[in-house]
């Protein structure tokens, strides 16, 4: 009798340098203490039964079964296959692991519980891949190490999205902080920060399938739009890119020195640059402005940003200073989900199972 496996992984936030990192500039990201848990156990019936719950504002349950010819198909009432990112990543993880390591052949229950909102730039896709892969590898006794899990998860994320930043899977696997420089991911040891994250929207169940599928491609679209704008204003954008690179370097020093006033000011400047390249929609802008007005040391959009036409779905990051409660109340009043987070959280944890 195989035991139940339970693993957990953290969400991520990009502290500095999102978008500019696509052009080789430095970016700093960290794990936060919002976690996603995957449990894997046996089931009598064959195939995979997948249950996803507790994702803020979202939940679903479905069967994934083999069709003739070995393809895995979702079997519910609606085309959640394309409507939800989460299921696409679980399915692709299974397909990949079956092919690469020959796992499978018995009934498996996969249960996912998450504190990470979807499509909010907090790394829910990478977290789903890392945790699902780690749990299934452990369950089926596939030996390996953390780096193998990270590489498998990155492969799966890329297969689903077409392109994926290595940052998210690295953070979900290793936790802590990472600096990305010229495409290389380096782990950094920096002190913990207390921040507020405000998220606008997740995919509501009422959203039609087409719109929800587009949401999964939001980051891709945002990156493409920045590229088009850059082509019209090459010199101007290059100066933004260099400024962002310098901001990331100075921010690392400010975190090391515990200089929160400087750190906050750098967040505000970084936000201004993100606005300048056109990735700040109205509702996220309002969350940042309101936080700054209420006394935040710093506030910025984090991750890909957003689009007004996609309901401003996305997240902001606030360094609250003394006025955290007032800022949280204001963010909530504006209809956003509020989370108190700590940076530098632990990476992949095998909470029950044999471990790696
Ligand atoms: C998205 O979370 C961050 C971007 O910089 C894209 C990427 O790094 O792949 C916009």
């Amino acid at each position: 009798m195989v035991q139940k496996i339970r693993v957990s992984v953290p969400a991520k936030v990009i502290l500095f340098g999102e978008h500019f990192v696509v052009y080789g500039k430095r970016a700093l990201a960290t794990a936060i203490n919002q976690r996603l848990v995957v449990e894997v156990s046996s089931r009598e019936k064959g195939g995979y039964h997948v249950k996803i719950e507790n994702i803020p504002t979202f939940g679903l349950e479905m069967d994934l079964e083999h069709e003739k010819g070995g393809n895995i198909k979702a079997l519910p009432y609606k085309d959640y296959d394309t409507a939800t990112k989460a299921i696409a990543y679980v399915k692709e993880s299974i397909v990949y692991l079956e092919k690469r390591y020959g796992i499978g052949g018995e009934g498996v229950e996969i249960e996912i519980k998450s504190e990470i909102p979807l499509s909010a730039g907090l790394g829910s896709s990478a977290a789903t891949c890392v945790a699902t892969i780690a749990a299934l590898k452990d369950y089926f006794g596939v030996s390996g190490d953390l780096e193998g899990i990270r590489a498998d998860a990155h492969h799966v994320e890329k297969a689903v999205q077409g392109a994926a930043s290595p940052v998210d899977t690295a953070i979900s696997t290793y936790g802590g902080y990472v600096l990305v420089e010229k495409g290389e991911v380096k782990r950094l040891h920096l002190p913990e920060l207390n921040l507020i994250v405000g998220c606008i929207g997740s995919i509501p169940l009422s959203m039609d399938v087409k719109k929800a599928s587009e949401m999964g491609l939001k980051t891709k679209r945002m990156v493409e739009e920045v590229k088009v704008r850059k082509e019209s204003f090459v010199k101007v954008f290059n100066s933004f890119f260099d400024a962002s690179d310098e901001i990331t370097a100075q921010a690392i020093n400010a975190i090391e020195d515990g200089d929160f006033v400087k750190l906050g000011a750098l967040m505000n400047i970084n936000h201004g640059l993100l606005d300048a390249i056109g990735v700040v929609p109205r509702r996220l802008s309002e969350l940042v402005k309101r936080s700054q007005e209420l006394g935040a040391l710093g506030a910025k959009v984090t991750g890909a940003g957003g689009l007004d036409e996609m309901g401003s779905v996305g997240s902001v990051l606030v360094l609250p200073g003394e006025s955290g409660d007032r800022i949280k109340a204001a963010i909530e009043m504006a209809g956003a989900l509020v989370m108190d987070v700590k940076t530098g959280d632990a990476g992949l944890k095998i909470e029950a199972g044999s471990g790696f």
Side-chain angles (χ1 to χ4, degrees):
M1 179 69 196
V2 191
Q3 82 276 41
K4 190 176 248 191
I5 309 292
R6 188 182 324 112
V7 309
S8 77
V9 297
K12 72 104 218 271
V13 288
I14 298 188
L15 296 171
F16 290 93
E18 52 274 269
H19 281 288
F20 307 104
V21 69
V22 173
Y23 297 87
K25 303 302 176 190
R26 281 172 285 189
L28 180 66
T30 181
I32 54 170
N33 57 337
Q34 297 293 122
R35 298 186 71 89
L36 176 141
V37 175
V38 173
E39 278 186 3
V40 170
S41 57
S42 65
R43 90 191 271 232
E44 270 174 31
K45 197 165 174 259
Y48 299 85
H49 181 250
V50 183
K51 190 170 169 187
I52 303 178
E53 57 183 45
N54 291 9
I55 293 177
T57 77
F58 186 83
L60 65 88
E61 184 171 342
M62 69 173 55
D63 288 305
L64 295 182
E65 289 193 356
H66 287 96
E67 292 178 305
K68 273 189 205 138
N71 286 337
I72 290 177
K73 191 170 179 299
L75 294 179
Y77 19 93
K78 211 171 167 184
D79 185 10
Y80 282 124
D81 233 18
T82 45
T84 80
K85 291 205 299 170
I87 212 67
Y89 293 99
V90 175
K91 190 176 131 181
E92 189 58 34
S93 296
I94 296 169
V95 168
Y96 172 78
L97 292 174
E98 285 196 346
K99 229 186 242 161
R100 169 106 204 250
Y101 301 103
I103 68 151
E106 58 180 275
V108 180
E109 282 288 337
I110 301 175
E111 197 167 329
I112 303 180
K113 293 186 180 141
S114 180
E115 300 169 340
I116 311 174
L118 297 174
S119 293
L122 301 181
S124 64
S125 320
T128 305
C129 295
V130 171
T132 304
I133 285 171
L136 284 171
K137 280 176 97 170
D138 199 19
Y139 180 81
F140 284 103
V142 178
S143 63
D145 55 9
L146 283 182
E147 184 48 28
I149 292 168
R150 187 209 59 76
D152 288 339
H154 182 54
H155 181 97
V156 168
E157 214 192 357
K158 248 187 3 203
V160 176
Q161 296 172 180
S165 142
V167 178
D168 296 18
T169 37
I171 288 280
S172 278
T173 308
Y174 292 113
Y177 286 85
V178 301
L179 172 70
V180 190
E181 196 168 11
K182 298 193 179 75
E184 296 267 304
V185 176
K186 294 180 196 155
R187 296 173 67 194
L188 290 188
H189 296 282
L190 294 170
E192 180 182 283
L193 301 169
N194 291 306
L195 300 172
I196 297 168
V197 173
C199 293
I200 297 278
S202 304
I203 303 175
L205 279 172
S206 56
M207 183 180 276
D208 74 72
V209 170
K210 188 168 173 291
K211 199 79 190 158
S213 318
E214 284 169 10
M215 196 76 83
L217 298 173
K218 186 188 82 176
T219 299
K220 195 169 170 219
R221 178 150 162 213
M222 304 296 307
V223 169
E224 278 166 7
E225 288 192 0
V226 171
K227 184 163 176 272
V228 170
R229 278 179 219 119
K230 175 181 164 25
E231 277 157 12
S232 307
F233 301 99
V234 176
K235 271 195 179 161
V236 177
F237 270 56
N238 280 341
S239 65
F240 294 157
F241 290 8
D242 289 342
S244 172
D245 194 59
E246 180 59 26
I247 287 169
T248 302
Q250 292 199 18
I252 292 169
N253 292 336
I255 296 172
E256 277 168 343
D257 297 345
D259 187 342
F260 300 120
V261 171
K262 183 171 175 194
L263 184 65
L266 290 165
M267 287 171 74
N268 293 335
I269 301 170
N270 188 177
H271 178 75
L273 290 179
L274 291 170
D275 204 6
I277 64 168
V279 299
V280 178
R282 182 180 59 79
R283 290 187 69 196
L284 293 181
S285 172
E286 281 166 8
L287 295 184
V288 167
K289 292 285 170 223
R290 194 77 186 105
S291 302
Q292 289 165 340
E293 184 181 67
L294 289 170
L297 295 176
K300 68 183 281 284
V301 153
T302 180
L307 292 165
D308 288 319
E309 65 183 82
M310 283 191 168
S312 284
V313 165
S315 298
V316 301
L317 208 53
V318 182
L319 182 64
E322 300 294 314
S323 34
D325 288 342
R326 285 199 302 159
I327 292 169
K328 281 192 285 186
I331 291 178
E332 214 153 39
M333 293 253 298
L337 179 75
V338 184
M339 296 180 282
D340 272 309
V341 304
K342 285 187 190 306
T343 59
D345 203 39
L348 172 65
K349 283 192 209 163
I350 309 283
E351 296 176 0
S354 54
F356 292 93

